[in-house]
Amino acid sequence: TDIAAEKWHTISAMWYELTTSGDYLKRDTSGYGANFYYTAANALIVRENATVALVNLSSGNSTYVNALTSNSTKRSNLITEMISFCETNNFDGVDLDLETFGTADMSAGQYTDFKTLITELGNALHAEGLILSIEVPPIWNTAANTESGSGDAWDGNNSQGYYRLVYSDLNTLPVDQVVVMAYDYQYDYS
């Protein structure tokens, strides 16, 4: 209800997550937060206070993500659910927040499966006049971070070599909006 006092450009409501088997689970009980799990009333609050209202599917577990992306039935079920949700709640589209892009989490074949999900979901959303937003890590193309100082976790861990995702791949995928998860840059790295 805190968002009702403001008018936001984009709100991504985190109301879906992946299960261990790669199926979607709707966060629609009070166990997912005291006052902002999915309800029709909460969806209306989002819709009325955002220029762009998106429903978010999130997971940071590579096993869950790979179980989804490798299975055509699970992908199809997810797509059907996302479109139904958007149409029922008058949302503008989907924000896909699958944070498993590390090379240790995603093989080349699994990355191909991920791009298949993006293609299928994006095309299906576009056919209904909806948009696809995806969340991606901040990636730079050098071998290591060159901030002053050394020995911290950012020296080598956040370069292109660490991630399977390549930004230029997004040029050929049906993605309307990219959200770079740059909150890790909240500290001064010079």
Side-chain angles (χ1 to χ4, degrees), residues 51-161:
T51 302
V52 178
L54 302 174
V55 63
N56 180 292
L57 170 71
S58 64
S59 181
N61 186 301
S62 60
T63 301
Y64 304 1
V65 172
N66 294 331
L68 165 67
T69 61
S70 66
N71 186 298
S72 62
T73 300
K74 290 179 190 298
R75 292 191 312 263
S76 179
N77 291 343
L78 174 70
I79 291 165
T80 299
E81 175 70 13
M82 294 293 99
I83 290 172
S84 175
F85 179 95
C86 290
E87 290 175 345
T88 299
N89 295 285
N90 194 28
F91 271 39
D92 299 296
V94 175
D95 181 25
L96 199 59
D97 183 15
L98 303 179
E99 300 183 25
T100 59
F101 295 112
T103 55
D105 297 322
M106 183 182 278
S107 70
Q110 291 164 335
Y111 183 50
T112 298
D113 291 343
F114 175 79
K115 291 187 289 186
T116 298
L117 170 65
I118 296 297
T119 300
E120 292 172 356
L121 178 59
N123 287 341
L125 290 170
H126 291 166
E128 300 299 324
L130 301 168
I131 66 171
L132 176 59
S133 173
I134 67 169
E135 302 200 19
V136 299
I139 300 172
W140 55 81
N141 292 324
T142 58
N145 185 0
T146 57
E147 94 284 349
S148 60
S150 62
D152 63 36
W154 295 109
D155 283 340
N157 287 343
N158 225 13
S159 65
Q160 181 60 72

Side-chain angles (χ1 to χ4, degrees), residues 20-75:
T20 57
S21 61
D23 295 307
Y24 63 84
L25 175 68
K26 189 186 256 184
R27 296 173 175 166
D28 59 358
T29 67
S30 61
Y32 293 104
N35 68 352
F36 215 71
Y37 50 94
Y38 172 78
T39 65
N42 284 344
L44 185 59
I45 291 170
V46 170
R47 176 66 282 163
E48 289 177 343
N49 289 282
T51 302
V52 178
L54 302 174
V55 63
N56 180 292
L57 170 71
S58 64
S59 181
N61 186 301
S62 60
T63 301
Y64 304 1
V65 172
N66 294 331
L68 165 67
T69 61
S70 66
N71 186 298
S72 62
T73 300
K74 290 179 190 298
R75 292 191 312 263

